[in-house]
Amino acid sequence: MSYYQEIMKEISGNMQDLSKDIPAVMKAFSGLVGASTADGALDKKTKELIMIGIAVANRCDGCIGFHTKTLIELGVTEQELAEALGVAVAMGGGPSVMYAANTLKAFKEFS
């Protein structure tokens, strides 16, 4: 199992536990994510590319795993992802370079 798959598995279990303790908050969070990523003036893939950029800039391994997997399901190309990662690097500096490189690794692991 890859690094990101392991992280996603662990976080998924942790989120289930969290949902038991604060179900209203987690239901609201899930609704927010669904509403914010639904097709509108921007399509879902574009919104997920924004999310992966934010995940990289904020250095969130779990976010990178979940959003990279979603992007693959939405048909993102490696070049599209790389360009979004370039924006994240511009916004996040050196630490984002490290996470951008790891995100491409996740893409290759999931593909």
Side-chain angles (χ1 to χ4, degrees):
M1 186 177 293
S2 78
Y3 172 74
Y4 285 100
Q5 290 169 332
E6 288 177 25
I7 287 173
M8 291 168 58
K9 182 178 177 182
E10 182 177 346
I11 290 172
S12 291
N14 295 341
M15 288 189 333
Q16 287 178 359
D17 291 342
L18 190 59
S19 292
K20 291 175 188 171
D21 292 336
I22 52 170
V25 171
M26 294 306 288
K27 183 177 180 181
F29 175 72
S30 180
L32 174 63
V33 171
S36 68
T37 59
D39 284 332
L42 297 176
D43 65 6
K44 184 171 178 63
K45 185 168 84 170
T46 300
K47 291 177 179 184
E48 284 290 336
L49 286 166
I50 292 168
M51 293 177 102
I52 199 70
I54 293 168
V56 167
N58 285 312
R59 297 173 286 286
C60 177
D61 286 329
C63 300
I64 288 170
F66 288 107
H67 293 293
T68 299
K69 188 171 186 299
T70 299
L71 281 164
I72 289 168
E73 292 166 359
L74 293 171
V76 75
T77 66
E78 187 172 343
Q79 187 60 40
E80 289 172 319
L81 177 60
E83 290 184 20
L85 295 174
V87 174
V89 167
M91 296 303 293
S96 291
V97 171
M98 307 306 145
Y99 275 81
N102 284 347
T103 302
L104 276 180
K105 179 182 177 186
F107 179 86
K108 292 174 183 179
E109 288 176 355
F110 287 126
S111 294

